[in-house]
Amino acid sequence: MKFILKRIGTLIITLVIISFLSFLAFSFIPGDAAVANLGMDADEAAVEALREELGLNRPVVVQYGDWLLSALQGDFGESTQYHLPVSELVAKRLPATVTLALYSMVLICVISFPLGMLGTNKPGGAVDTAMTVLSQIGMAVPQFFLGILLTFFFGIVLNWFTVGGYVSPQEDMAGFLSFLILPAVAVAVPKCATMTRYIRNAVVAQKKMDYVRTARGKGNSEKRILLNHVLINVMMPVVTMLAMMAADVLAGSIVVEQVFNIPGLGRLLITSISNRDYPVVQAIVVYIASTVVIMNTIADILYQKLDPRVR
Amino acid sequence: MKKKLNHNLIIGYFLIALVMLMAVVGLFYTPYPVNEMNVLLKNQPPSFAHLFGTDQFGRDIFSRVMEGASTSFFIALCVVLVGAGIGTLTGAITAYFGGWLDAVLMRVNDVLAAFPSVLLAICFVAVIGPGTYNLIVALGIVFIPSFTRVVRSEVLVQKELDYVRNAKLMGAKNLRILVFHILPNIKPVLKTSLLVGFQNAVLSEAGMSYLGLGVTQPDPSLGRMLSEAQGFLWNAPWYALAPGLTILALTLGLGLVTSDKE
Amino acid sequence: MPLLDIKNLKIAFQVKKDTDGLFQMLGEQEVVHGIDLSLEKGQIIGLVGESGSGKSVSSLSILKLLPEDAKITADTMCFDGIDLLSQTEEEWQTLRGDRISMVFQEPMTSLNPVLTIEKQVEEGLLLHEEETYKDNKELRRERVLEVLAEAGLSHPEELLLKYPHQLSGGMRQRVMIAIAMMNRPELLIADEPTTALDAATQEIILELLKYYCETYKTAILFISHDLSLVARLCDRVLVLKNGKVVERGTKEEIFYRPQQEYTRQLMAAAKGKQLAGESIINAGQVGAEESNDTPDTKPNNTAIPLLQLKNATIEYREKTFFGKEKVTTAVKNVSFELYKGEVLGLVGESGSGKSTISKALTGLLPLTKGELIRAEGTEAPRMVFQDPYGSLNPAKKIGWILEEPLKIQGGYTKEERKRLVRAALKEVELEEAHAKRYVRELSGGQRQRVAIAAALIQKPEIVILDEPVSALDVTVQGQILELLYRLKEEHGMSYLFVSHDMNVIRRVCDRVIVLYQGEIAETGTTADVFERPEHPYTKELLRNNMDVHEQKEKSI
């Protein structure tokens, strides 16, 4: 319990530091909100007046405190490109990204474990070698290229789905979910490959441990050794790794949204960057950073709970 | 003694060499000028004249892939050099000397290392803007923490070993111990993380350019070619295949060589 | 018919030569070259040998617990009439843990770190007596408690839900033995079961094994590098060297009439010098020197010491998370002198502060209180470490390692350095060609020779030897001690010899300091301390280390 409290304490400090750093970074960009609102060739005095009005002339720390206070109440300012509250924009784009990421995580969990254990009975054997090659290809393929290949094959050759035919969950839940399957595969495959490889190496390493020899000496079959002795030892690092992977999956989702034309957080981020819509960029950056840091904290706590040696 | 060929390594080296050859030759010679447009030769399928076909402006895709490969190679190399250079330096120094600097740097490092590289690079580019050199800076910074972490943990182990103590007894100065005694011992680990880093850098560069946050017009880049090609999947699927498979060949080659070193 | 009958056992491993290139070289290396072994019901046989003698590999082959790439062949390999060589995997599973069991050296790693003790102990029941125990948790628990109690664990019910890391080393090994004895096997193979334990616990484990043998007529194959342990437990003894049996016989035959030189060396190592008719070190050298020197080793009080430690206290400070400081005192108020030409022994168990003192003497660790005085013109001492593999840079060639101290010192031309390196190699009886090798390409003894050459190349006056032979096999130990003695005589150096091994200390030191919990318990000439120990701790050390002879007498 004390450990968890301590971990949550560090989490909050880290979040504050990250949000402050990102705030600081954006405050250095030439062309602030005032310029963005009035256009590049606006009158100098008008810009200055707007700055005054928006409070951009105050010290950064004060501005940050202001921003943090309103952010905590769910107010992230107003988008300069859509002239809508940022929180509203983000809330609208969130479901697609979160669903995509969750989909991918489920795929990773379901696929990696059986594949990772496949062939570990005989390291270097035919099955193991085939798995090695497959996971190497999986790790090497860029997610967006995989997305394009999937689009081409399933959308154009087989015509199983409409390319770019995203529907929002409000319109058609089933259509929304089925459309997201292929993007989820594109996000998940490289991560699955990494995970499979990781599990495979962990199993092979564990099987060389003395306790496996003891288990064999008791008369265990290889299958029992794998399931009753090795798996639980492999589980702990793997669970932490899975939690950390959530951040990777989020990053992958952002890229893959672009490929499949899904109006999620990623697309919003990219368009906001090109349109210099900094309140939106900042909110999304803080949102993503928080997710990453929170997932890491969860990973730490999980590990602490699972392993009797550090418990 | 029997000889057993190491297939993974052979294929890995072959793939890397292939893309490297394209990249290096692409610096000096391409079959066609990369930006030469020809309306008559729009979206041609692969032929002897145009090995990978032509794009929507009738430009030779093979030539563009060659030059794109050079760009990717150049960027990935710079990124890894920046990341590994600064990462090794900070990792070695903080680990060897310890103290509060070490503690502070490691906190920052841990937070940064937790972020996927593309995400962090997007954040940086959001601030400093896209472009080849900005991309190198952004990715370079993003790649520092992983090298710092690897080098630091290795130096922490090595500095407690008796051979370092022995060197101190001989009267060797800290810098000499770090450079001549410890560094040679972390070379194997560093080599592996350089390969892994290079693979990540290639993937990140392609991803960033695909998103339009990396290499800008008119320089050809494999990632950006893919994003252009996506609009022509119906009438010119080979357009997407050429740059995609080139990236895949390079990253797969690097992956195979790395896995052999594990 | 014997319970276990093995004739002409050969074991080969596949070796991979790492070429670091596009292909690998594959070959085979035989490590056991035709061993015969037979064991009757209720008999205890000892398998003795140094590391690399093939004793562990042979014992693992009986249960086929070797890695996949091991090739086992034999003319006969039978257990109770069952041909072990033709067993299928399923048949093995019914044999292992039921009729033949095994106990390993390292109980910590041999137990699953994340399963409770109960889970690990009861597994033997679930595997071999499934019908009786599968659905009856009470009966299972009852039986688990019974075997744990039998293995000498006094409150077994408290252990059930614990994990291995929460137990002491001795308790873990008892749990291992309980697991092995769960189904009352006919044969128990014990592979160095006491090596990782301290002397007192060793004794208890031996008694336990004896108990099982007498109660259940369990045959035991006991593997050890330590002849004295084997002597106390076994009826018959096999001595292994380089994968061959060099000598076999009853324990009386092996102890009183050893036929082979090698057996005698092992004996000498186990017994200490007072028993060995001939010392490992040539009697003409250290022996003679010692007998001459003993009367006047108490150094002349007028002589100026080379090195003097005055009232030294050393503390380790650790900062905890909240800035509180945790202070551990490793050395308390220690004073001594080291004189020219003498060998001063620093003896004590781990944690006694001897390593801390040796580090402080080299200047690697500051004194918290007290003074360290070096005679004028004397340089900081050089050091030879316990593990030559760790103390020599693994990424560099031997030539570079030996040249480095000269480069740091400066003032030599390249030719001079090369010449000195060649001379140093010759001095420690290595070839010039060794300069081009890496540390990993040398044997343990050769590595320690290189470490000695590196320490001596700058011609120091004082050398600190930190357990210089404890990582080596006994036969090599003798050679290294002999070399150290010769070099000391030739160069007139002084040694501070740090060791936990009373036998080695007795063989080489003029004076001894016994350390106990960071303080000097006793000090005096070697003869005084060994013959007339005063401090109870010294007596205990001597009992644990030396009285193999008496214990052997008792047990035979």
Side-chain angles (χ1 to χ4, degrees):
Chain A
M1 204 54 214
K2 199 178 151 202
F3 171 79
I4 296 178
L5 285 178
K6 213 164 123 189
R7 223 36 212 88
I8 291 174
T10 7
L11 169 74
I12 292 168
I13 297 171
T14 317
L15 283 179
V16 170
I17 293 174
I18 289 178
S19 59
F20 178 67
L21 284 180
S22 69
F23 192 88
L24 198 68
F26 285 110
S27 71
F28 281 132
I29 299 171
D32 53 23
V35 180
N37 261 349
L38 298 174
M40 275 304 197
D41 32 40
D43 177 35
E44 192 63 36
V47 171
E48 201 48 46
L50 190 61
R51 278 210 181 114
E52 196 63 46
E53 192 195 317
L54 291 172
L56 293 174
N57 287 339
R58 295 170 304 155
V60 175
V61 183
V62 178
Q63 289 188 45
Y64 170 70
D66 244 26
W67 177 84
L68 187 65
L69 271 182
S70 24
L72 285 175
Q73 292 157 15
D75 177 13
F76 286 86
E78 194 179 84
S79 154
T80 53
Q81 55 180 335
Y82 300 105
H83 298 288
L84 284 168
V86 173
S87 48
E88 196 179 298
L89 265 175
V90 171
K92 223 170 89 192
R93 303 296 190 100
L94 208 53
T97 305
V98 170
T99 314
L100 181 53
L102 281 179
Y103 242 141
S104 315
M105 281 310 277
V106 171
L107 279 178
I108 293 170
C109 294
V110 173
I111 296 174
S112 312
F113 276 98
L115 286 190
M117 285 185 283
L118 208 67
T120 48
N121 248 348
K122 233 185 143 200
V127 182
D128 188 45
T129 312
M131 288 312 301
T132 305
V133 172
L134 267 182
S135 57
Q136 284 300 339
I137 294 175
M139 278 189 268
V141 67
Q143 282 157 327
F144 55 91
F145 181 49
L146 187 64
I148 291 172
L149 287 180
L150 289 172
T151 310
F152 177 67
F153 192 71
F154 290 99
I156 294 171
V157 179
L158 295 177
N159 210 2
W160 283 2
F161 84 115
T162 335
V163 178
Y166 171 84
V167 278
S168 73
Q170 287 83 8
E171 280 171 59
D172 173 10
M173 197 62 187
F176 168 74
L177 288 178
S178 60
F179 181 81
L180 284 183
I181 292 179
L182 281 185
V185 170
V187 174
V189 163
K191 299 300 149 199
C192 271
T194 312
M195 209 61 212
T196 304
R197 187 87 195 133
Y198 185 79
I199 293 173
R200 183 258 172 206
N201 286 349
V203 169
V204 170
Q206 287 290 335
K207 279 200 153 188
K208 287 187 187 141
M209 305 288 256
D210 287 350
Y211 74 82
V212 169
R213 193 175 58 180
T214 309
R216 225 169 255 148
K218 284 181 187 170
N220 274 297
S221 64
E222 287 303 309
K223 194 173 142 203
R224 260 194 74 111
I225 289 176
L226 186 64
L227 296 178
N228 290 16
H229 288 268
V230 171
L231 202 57
I232 177 167
N233 276 286
V234 170
M235 243 2 211
M236 290 162 202
V238 167
V239 167
T240 15
M241 178 110 171
L242 271 175
M244 306 250 255
M245 207 166 243
D248 278 344
V249 166
L250 204 58
S253 308
I254 286 175
V255 179
V256 169
E257 277 170 20
Q258 206 73 4
V259 182
F260 289 90
N261 217 346
I262 301 167
L265 221 48
R267 275 189 73 90
L268 181 61
L269 177 64
I270 306 293
T271 43
S272 303
I273 289 175
S274 13
N275 292 333
R276 298 179 162 266
D277 188 354
Y278 292 123
V280 176
V281 176
Q282 194 168 4
I284 296 177
V285 166
V286 170
Y287 174 77
I288 291 170
S290 313
T291 316
V292 171
V293 180
I294 291 171
M295 284 320 280
N296 278 311
T297 307
I298 293 176
D300 264 17
I301 294 174
L302 269 181
Y303 191 81
Q304 188 82 7
K305 285 280 140 207
L306 275 173
D307 195 332
R309 283 163 294 185
V310 292
R311 190 153 56 198
Chain B
M1 285 296 216
K2 276 186 297 185
K3 245 189 198 178
K4 189 183 158 208
L5 285 177
N6 194 337
H7 299 286
N8 278 2
L9 204 57
I10 294 172
I11 297 172
Y13 279 135
F14 173 75
L15 288 174
I16 296 174
L18 199 70
V19 181
M20 225 161 117
L21 189 74
M22 271 169 62
V24 172
V25 174
L27 283 177
F28 308 103
Y29 165 81
T30 48
Y32 297 87
V34 273
N35 288 323
E36 187 188 70
M37 302 193 196
N38 189 341
V39 198
L40 297 175
L41 289 171
K42 256 188 355 186
N43 290 339
Q44 293 284 308
S47 62
F48 281 112
H50 298 278
L51 276 179
F52 291 168
T54 61
D55 68 5
Q56 75 273 28
F57 300 114
R59 296 177 297 193
D60 179 47
I61 294 176
F62 184 59
S63 304
R64 291 181 68 78
V65 164
M66 279 172 85
E67 196 155 310
S70 320
T71 320
S72 291
F73 230 95
F74 171 72
I75 294 178
L77 204 64
C78 291
V79 165
V80 169
L81 286 182
V82 170
I86 300 177
T88 307
L89 213 64
T90 50
I93 290 172
T94 54
Y96 190 78
F97 295 102
W100 63 268
L101 186 70
D102 180 45
V104 170
L105 271 176
M106 276 316 110
R107 271 288 143 78
V108 176
N109 211 59
D110 281 347
V111 173
L112 285 180
F115 286 87
S117 45
V118 169
L119 265 188
L120 210 50
I122 290 177
C123 298
F124 276 116
V125 169
V127 176
I128 61 179
T132 305
Y133 291 97
N134 281 357
L135 184 65
I136 292 175
V137 172
L139 283 176
I141 296 173
V142 168
F143 274 64
I144 295 172
S146 63
F147 284 100
T148 309
R149 184 133 76 164
V150 169
V151 171
R152 180 174 181 274
S153 66
E154 274 297 302
V155 172
L156 276 183
V157 173
Q158 298 287 334
K159 79 167 187 177
E160 293 303 326
L161 292 181
D162 281 343
Y163 79 86
V164 173
R165 232 172 251 156
N166 223 346
K168 274 189 202 156
L169 281 183
M170 291 171 200
K173 298 269 185 304
N174 284 330
L175 193 65
R176 186 181 182 92
I177 292 178
L178 211 45
V179 176
F180 289 113
H181 292 256
I182 293 181
L183 223 51
N185 279 291
I186 62 173
K187 244 195 323 205
V189 184
L190 205 53
K191 236 191 230 169
T192 313
S193 38
L194 276 174
L195 281 169
V196 175
F198 198 78
Q199 190 191 25
N200 276 333
V202 172
L203 283 172
S204 305
E205 185 275 327
M208 292 295 284
S209 299
Y210 173 81
L211 292 176
L213 300 174
V215 181
T216 39
Q217 295 275 15
D219 299 335
S221 132
L222 297 177
R224 240 208 20 256
M225 284 176 78
L226 262 172
S227 91
E228 279 170 23
Q230 215 187 326
F232 299 91
L233 275 182
W234 278 271
N235 34 17
W238 56 85
Y239 186 11
L241 274 182
L245 288 179
T246 311
I247 299 172
L248 184 60
L250 183 55
T251 50
L252 180 59
L254 288 164
L256 288 172
V257 174
T258 320
S259 78
D260 187 76
K261 295 253 186 298
E262 262 169 17
Chain C
M1 192 179 61
L3 182 68
L4 180 70
D5 190 20
I6 296 175
K7 290 208 174 68
N8 198 19
L9 171 70
K10 288 180 181 168
I11 300 168
F13 283 103
Q14 206 176 55
V15 280
K16 265 191 222 160
K17 254 237 185 82
D18 213 10
T19 49
D20 199 32
L22 297 177
F23 56 86
Q24 281 177 331
M25 300 300 284
L26 294 181
E28 233 174 46
Q29 193 187 7
E30 199 176 83
V31 291
V32 172
H33 321 281
I35 286 179
D36 296 347
L37 173 72
S38 82
L39 192 59
E40 303 287 343
K41 208 168 164 49
Q43 195 182 26
I44 307 184
I45 286 193
L47 217 53
V48 187
E50 294 178 297
S51 57
S53 62
K55 56 186 192 312
S56 284
V57 174
S58 309
S59 65
L60 285 169
S61 77
I62 296 171
L63 267 181
K64 203 167 178 257
L65 288 178
L66 289 170
E68 291 257 317
D69 63 348
K71 213 173 91 188
I72 307 168
T73 55
D75 294 348
T76 323
M77 196 165 178
C78 283
F79 171 78
D80 196 23
I82 304 168
D83 179 17
L84 294 180
L85 290 172
S86 62
Q87 292 272 295
T88 64
E89 188 51 39
E90 283 74 29
E91 287 167 329
W92 271 117
Q93 283 161 23
T94 57
L95 209 58
R96 286 178 191 147
D98 193 31
R99 303 190 64 192
I100 311 177
S101 280
M102 196 152 179
V103 178
F104 303 97
Q105 173 171 351
E106 197 28 87
M108 181 67 215
T109 57
S110 296
L111 290 167
N112 195 326
V114 297
L115 293 182
T116 58
I117 300 298
E118 182 176 24
K119 278 247 165 60
Q120 303 194 47
V121 178
E122 71 177 12
E123 197 174 17
L125 294 171
L126 292 171
L127 286 165
H128 298 289
E129 284 172 69
E130 210 186 338
E131 309 82 53
T132 329
Y133 289 102
K134 190 161 192 262
D135 302 313
N136 197 336
K137 200 162 166 40
E138 278 82 59
L139 196 65
R140 214 158 65 209
R141 179 163 279 186
E142 200 178 298
R143 178 87 183 100
V144 167
L145 291 173
E146 191 183 310
V147 289
L148 286 175
E150 197 171 22
L153 290 155
S154 43
H155 297 288
E157 61 286 344
E158 287 169 15
L159 297 178
L160 293 178
L161 296 180
K162 290 211 163 138
Y163 292 93
H165 72 278
Q166 295 167 312
L167 272 53
S168 72
M171 283 163 95
R172 280 182 215 132
Q173 195 59 296
R174 284 176 203 245
V175 170
M176 271 306 288
I177 292 176
I179 289 174
M181 292 306 295
M182 173 57 93
N183 294 314
R184 310 260 158 85
E186 289 139 88
L187 173 61
L188 176 69
I189 301 168
D191 186 4
E192 302 253 14
T194 62
T195 309
L197 307 172
D198 62 66
T201 319
Q202 275 193 355
E203 208 57 46
I204 296 163
I205 297 290
L206 286 191
E207 286 304 317
L208 193 59
L209 291 177
K210 241 184 230 169
Y211 160 82
Y212 283 120
C213 174
E214 280 155 17
T215 317
Y216 301 115
K217 288 274 159 282
T218 313
I220 298 178
L221 184 62
F222 186 80
I223 292 105
S224 179
H225 69 283
D226 187 341
L227 252 181
S228 69
L229 287 179
V230 172
R232 269 177 274 167
L233 186 70
C234 305
D235 312 315
R236 292 179 60 82
V237 180
L238 266 69
V239 181
L240 256 64
K241 188 190 178 188
N242 297 334
K244 281 194 189 116
V245 176
V246 290
E247 187 157 7
R248 64 173 75 221
T250 62
K251 73 175 158 194
E252 289 83 3
E253 283 169 349
I254 297 288
F255 273 84
Y256 293 118
R257 297 176 291 282
Q259 302 297 309
Q260 297 293 320
E261 179 57 34
Y262 182 70
T263 314
R264 274 182 228 138
Q265 283 176 5
L266 283 179
M267 291 276 285
K271 290 176 188 176
K273 196 175 65 174
Q274 85 278 22
L275 288 178
E278 49 215 305
S279 151
I280 294 174
I281 299 184
N282 244 321
Q285 294 195 353
V286 168
E289 185 260 353
E290 204 187 5
S291 59
N292 289 340
D293 275 8
T294 322
D296 51 38
T297 32
K298 203 163 231 160
N300 202 331
N301 279 341
T302 54
I304 301 164
L306 280 177
L307 198 70
Q308 206 177 352
L309 198 62
K310 271 190 188 166
N311 303 29
T313 297
I314 301 168
E315 289 169 354
Y316 288 107
R317 276 157 202 278
E318 236 180 313
K319 278 231 173 82
T320 57
F321 187 73
F322 298 103
K324 274 183 250 162
E325 253 189 347
K326 209 181 119 198
V327 180
T328 342
T329 310
V331 173
K332 258 177 280 176
N333 201 22
V334 166
S335 308
F336 64 82
E337 300 86 32
L338 178 68
Y339 292 91
K340 191 168 172 57
E342 78 166 334
V343 181
L344 178 61
L346 206 56
V347 73
E349 287 182 330
S350 58
S352 63
K354 55 187 199 308
S355 304
T356 309
I357 291 181
S358 60
K359 260 188 238 165
L361 290 181
T362 58
L364 288 179
L365 201 69
L367 300 179
T368 314
K369 274 185 223 136
E371 278 184 278
L372 172 66
I373 304 163
R374 276 203 302 260
E376 231 167 283
T378 317
E379 285 188 31
R382 292 286 168 265
M383 198 157 167
V384 175
F385 295 84
Q386 170 173 4
D387 174 17
Y389 195 70
S391 65
L392 300 170
N393 196 331
K396 294 292 186 179
K397 288 179 178 163
I398 304 300
W400 186 94
I401 292 171
L402 293 178
E403 211 182 324
E404 178 71 359
L406 302 173
K407 277 195 221 148
I408 294 167
Q409 197 184 346
Y412 295 97
T413 65
K414 198 173 175 191
E415 280 69 44
E416 276 172 334
R417 288 201 303 258
K418 297 275 179 225
R419 190 176 51 74
L420 283 167
V421 167
R422 279 198 299 274
L425 281 171
K426 204 170 159 219
E427 191 137 55
V428 295
E429 294 150 19
L430 290 173
E431 316 272 318
E432 263 177 48
H434 283 120
K436 295 204 178 72
R437 303 251 190 99
Y438 287 100
V439 181
R440 59 170 182 272
E441 296 167 329
L442 303 183
S443 70
Q446 285 173 330
R447 283 175 199 163
Q448 201 56 296
R449 283 170 196 272
V450 173
I452 293 169
L456 297 190
I457 202 156
Q458 285 170 295
K459 308 268 179 266
E461 285 171 86
I462 309 165
V463 179
I464 295 170
L465 304 163
D466 188 0
E467 305 260 11
V469 294
S470 49
L472 304 172
D473 282 337
V474 281
T475 38
V476 185
Q477 279 190 0
Q479 294 161 9
I480 296 293
L481 290 177
E482 203 176 317
L483 172 74
L484 284 170
Y485 177 74
R486 180 170 64 72
L487 291 170
K488 180 194 90 114
E489 288 297 285
E490 282 174 17
H491 299 287
M493 292 177 291
S494 312
Y495 287 158
L496 182 77
F497 197 106
V498 181
S499 180
H500 70 283
D501 186 338
M502 294 298 262
N503 297 330
V504 173
I505 289 281
R506 180 167 201 160
R507 249 187 277 169
V508 296
C509 297
D510 303 320
R511 283 198 304 140
V512 183
I513 293 171
V514 182
L515 280 175
Y516 179 59
Q517 294 185 346
E519 288 177 282
I520 295 185
E522 187 160 0
T523 171
T525 64
T526 307
D528 277 348
V529 171
F530 276 72
E531 250 113 87
R532 292 173 292 281
E534 278 164 16
H535 196 277
Y537 177 68
T538 318
K539 287 178 189 160
E540 194 193 316
L541 267 184
L542 286 170
R543 235 194 338 274
N544 290 344
N545 264 283
M546 302 287 292
D547 290 355
V548 179
H549 183 59
E550 275 166 43
Q551 278 162 355
K552 188 196 76 179
E553 298 282 79
K554 253 191 290 173
S555 65
I556 289 180

